[in-house]
Amino acid sequence: MLEPRLERPKRAGQGDYATNAALLLAPVLGEPPPRIAASLADELGRTLGDQLARTEVAGPGFLNLFLSDRWHRDALGSVLKAGERFGSGLIATAERILIEFVSANPTGPLVAASGRHAAYGDALARILEHIGQQVSREYYFNDAGSQIRLLGESVRARARSEEIPQGGYQGDYVAVLADAIADAASRPVDEVAHDAVELLLAQIKATLERYGVRYDTFFSERMLHEGAPSALDRAFEMLEAGGHLYRSEGAVWLRTTTFGDDKDRVVVRSNGEPTYIAADLGYLVNKRERGVERQLIPVGADHHAWMREIRASMAALGGDPDTIEVPLLQFVHLVEGSEREAMSKRKGAFVTLDELLDEIGVDATRYFMLRSSHDRTIDLDLSLARQESAENPVYYIQYAHARICSMLRRVSADRVEAALGGDWGGPDLDPAERALVQKLVAFPDDVLEAASRRAPHRMAVYALELAQEFTAFYRDCHVIGSSPVETESFRIALSSAAGSVIALSLGLLGVSAPESM
């Protein structure tokens, strides 16, 4: 269903804002859209008073609104008053949301591509928290199963100077593990695997901390198998009671086709070993018992089938599958000139996230991972990310913030405080001043859109556009020393607000806002 929109027109001269409300109301009211638009204009004039300069009915019934300087000055005052809380608390009722992200198996260091998942999950959590949601961040690590034993076999083989087993892990890090684990050549495989997982998990945690990503919980798969009954046992009991399990060819199957999956799934193999989906079932039960109301699980683009499985599993357990959201993140390619880096843990041909951070830094890595929608493949241009120029978007944004801080340091703290007080009369506002105010007040809508669409890239786009608006304002409007004093005060206050909102936008992305560069 179409809804009325209030938007900033793309063409100059069409007002500060425009609405299509009259076009949508016409079929309901049975009147021509221009007549409805004129009525809306009269009502808005009575409601807004001197904050509305004039209105204009355009085309088939669009209503263009031209806002007064009074509105722009009041809007700036609202931005300044809100401070760091600007755009926060935008929802009426909070949900208990768990974001489980990255969750790479502890069979090797985090690869560069994991940086996209880490930046996405962390930024989305920051954005959701800002609008008022109750968010928990969780890393689920698979420390049980065949791939962990294979890691142990690979490490022990390297310690013995033997061939890596078929399908094993071959990276240089395996040799490092073999050297670090005492008696790796002679100890049982399970013990070697346990120590290898501990070392790799500690390395993963250190990398994520360096990247500015924090978690509330690191959840071990082993917990799902502990207790009597275990979370896995409780899940199977629920499914048996609901009639959703059956036996065939010696295996136990979950009838997921009942709930929209394209085929039923094996949950216990004929040899009695649980499958990956069995652990997922126990994990779903565990999260339900912890009071999680909504789950966001960003995964790689190759997880289409798993998305169907997990939602069908939720339904089979009596839950609402719509409370599980699975954003599919496309792949990352590191580009250096004409070369693309391919990544594979098992083959050992990969660039680690730590190596990428060494190369271009945390801020550039996070911004470039977040600048595009998660459903688009990223070609991360390392040469561009290193540049200290306006062509590099993260440098451009940070430089705008640093320029504001540098400018404000040129006047006394008392003068800045007086300027923020709101005595902003004086001549008519410059178009660049009006445009910058309008971009500032767009922040709450953009952050709400980023949250609702699970699209942190919206904040990356907004931060760049705000920096561009400030740069245009700074080019067109003299700030320090402008006359009369009311104009200088307004421009100091406007610059301060722009700096604060740039910093807020970058903060939601996990990117710093330096005060000097």
Side-chain angles (χ1 to χ4, degrees):
M1 183 175 111
L2 293 176
E3 296 182 355
R5 299 190 307 272
L6 186 66
E7 299 177 328
R8 291 180 66 186
K10 295 181 180 179
R11 294 182 180 179
Q14 294 182 336
D16 297 308
Y17 294 91
T19 179
N20 64 344
L23 295 169
L24 300 181
L25 288 171
V28 178
L29 300 179
E31 293 188 24
R35 183 180 300 174
I36 297 173
S39 298
L40 288 174
D42 291 341
E43 183 60 33
L44 286 170
R46 288 189 290 269
T47 302
L48 295 177
D50 62 0
Q51 292 195 330
L52 183 65
R54 64 186 179 89
T55 59
E56 175 185 272
V57 178
F62 291 101
L63 180 61
N64 298 333
L65 310 179
F66 297 80
L67 299 171
S68 68
D69 286 354
R70 166 72 183 277
W71 180 91
H72 287 82
R73 292 185 172 108
D74 288 350
L76 175 60
S78 298
V79 174
L80 291 168
K81 182 178 180 181
E84 293 182 355
R85 300 296 299 166
F86 185 46
S88 66
L90 299 175
I91 56 171
T93 304
E95 281 187 300
R96 295 185 64 183
I97 300 175
L98 186 143
I99 304 182
E100 184 232 317
F101 61 107
V102 182
S103 297
N105 288 338
T107 54
L110 289 181
V111 299
S114 297
R116 182 172 205 180
H117 291 254
Y120 177 89
D122 184 61
L124 184 55
R126 291 169 186 248
I127 290 166
L128 290 169
E129 285 175 332
H130 190 73
I131 68 169
Q133 299 286 18
Q134 299 179 41
V135 180
S136 294
R137 301 161 171 83
E138 188 153 289
Y139 189 116
Y140 174 92
F141 61 97
N142 186 337
D143 55 350
S146 59
Q147 85 286 348
I148 299 300
R149 183 174 180 82
L150 188 58
L151 173 66
E153 292 173 349
S154 302
V155 172
R156 193 169 70 171
R158 183 58 67 92
R160 293 175 172 178
S161 299
E162 297 175 350
E163 289 292 325
I164 300 296
Q166 185 176 3
Y169 298 89
Q170 301 180 25
D172 291 341
Y173 72 93
V174 179
V176 174
L177 290 171
D179 291 339
I181 297 172
D183 302 319
S186 58
R187 291 168 58 195
V189 166
D190 289 345
E191 291 184 10
V192 174
H194 175 271
D195 288 359
V197 165
E198 289 294 313
L199 290 170
L200 287 169
L201 190 58
Q203 181 180 344
I204 287 170
K205 290 180 178 179
T207 300
L208 291 168
E209 183 176 350
R210 177 188 181 189
Y211 199 39
V213 177
R214 67 169 181 83
Y215 284 90
D216 299 292
T217 310
F218 281 84
F219 189 96
S220 165
E221 183 194 342
R222 291 182 181 272
M223 295 177 61
L224 302 174
H225 303 273
E226 297 173 352
S230 67
L232 196 59
D233 294 334
R234 296 195 297 277
F236 281 3
E237 288 171 4
M238 293 179 193
L239 295 170
E240 286 277 17
H244 303 307
L245 296 180
Y246 66 93
R247 277 77 181 168
S248 177
E249 301 174 352
V252 181
W253 296 69
L254 175 60
R255 195 174 281 108
T256 52
T257 51
T258 304
F259 304 99
D261 201 359
D262 61 339
K263 61 182 179 180
D264 293 340
R265 306 289 173 173
V266 176
V267 292
V268 180
R269 299 182 180 92
S270 57
N271 63 2
E273 182 180 346
T275 61
Y276 282 112
I277 194 172
D280 289 335
L281 292 166
Y283 193 30
L284 288 173
V285 169
N286 173 278
K287 287 184 279 190
R288 177 189 297 177
E289 293 171 349
R290 285 189 274 154
V292 174
E293 295 175 324
R294 181 169 297 276
Q295 301 176 46
L296 300 180
I297 315 173
V299 295
D302 55 349
H303 282 60
H304 282 280
W306 183 84
M307 177 174 62
R308 293 193 302 269
E309 288 177 22
I310 198 68
R311 288 171 58 84
S313 298
M314 182 66 159
L317 289 166
D320 181 359
D322 289 338
T323 61
I324 295 183
E325 301 179 35
V326 186
L328 297 176
L329 276 60
Q330 288 293 331
F331 300 105
V332 176
H333 301 290
L334 302 184
V335 179
E336 184 76 82
S338 61
E339 297 295 322
R340 272 185 170 190
E341 293 286 354
M343 303 173 197
S344 169
K345 272 188 192 176
R346 296 205 176 178
K347 294 180 180 179
F350 59 82
V351 176
T352 69
L353 179 54
D354 277 313
E355 289 171 336
L356 179 59
L357 298 180
D358 290 342
E359 190 70 25
I360 63 174
V362 171
D363 287 342
T365 301
R366 289 190 65 128
Y367 187 88
F368 275 80
M369 291 293 188
L370 291 168
R371 67 187 296 207
S372 301
S373 176
H374 63 271
D375 57 7
R376 295 180 57 188
T377 298
I378 293 176
D379 281 347
L380 200 166
D381 187 334
L382 298 175
S383 298
L384 176 61
R386 293 190 200 99
Q387 286 185 30
E388 295 185 357
S389 69
E391 284 71 35
N392 180 347
V394 65
Y395 182 87
Y396 182 93
I397 299 166
Q398 291 179 319
Y399 185 78
H401 182 266
R403 170 179 275 172
I404 293 169
C405 294
S406 174
M407 178 179 65
L408 295 180
R409 286 194 294 268
R410 289 162 46 198
V411 296
S412 68
D414 289 344
R415 178 67 186 99
V416 173
E417 184 177 356
L420 298 179
D423 184 14
W424 302 325
D428 293 345
L429 296 181
D430 187 274
E433 294 173 300
R434 297 166 64 91
L436 182 53
V437 170
Q438 290 171 26
K439 192 61 188 179
L440 289 172
V441 300
F443 174 80
D445 286 340
D446 276 60
V447 75
L448 188 59
E449 181 183 10
S452 61
R453 290 177 50 196
R454 317 306 191 209
H457 76 280
R458 284 298 314 148
M459 297 316 305
V461 172
Y462 175 85
L464 180 59
E465 291 176 349
L466 177 57
Q468 290 168 337
E469 289 287 5
F470 172 78
T471 301
F473 155 78
Y474 189 77
R475 178 197 65 215
D476 295 345
C477 300
H478 186 59
V479 180
I480 306 302
S482 57
S483 181
V485 67
E486 293 87 356
T487 295
E488 183 191 53
S489 293
F490 181 79
R491 291 177 178 176
I492 289 174
L494 182 54
S495 299
S496 177
S500 296
V501 179
I502 288 173
L504 179 55
S505 303
L506 290 176
L508 294 179
L509 300 172
V511 177
S512 70
E515 295 186 2
S516 61
M517 293 178 69

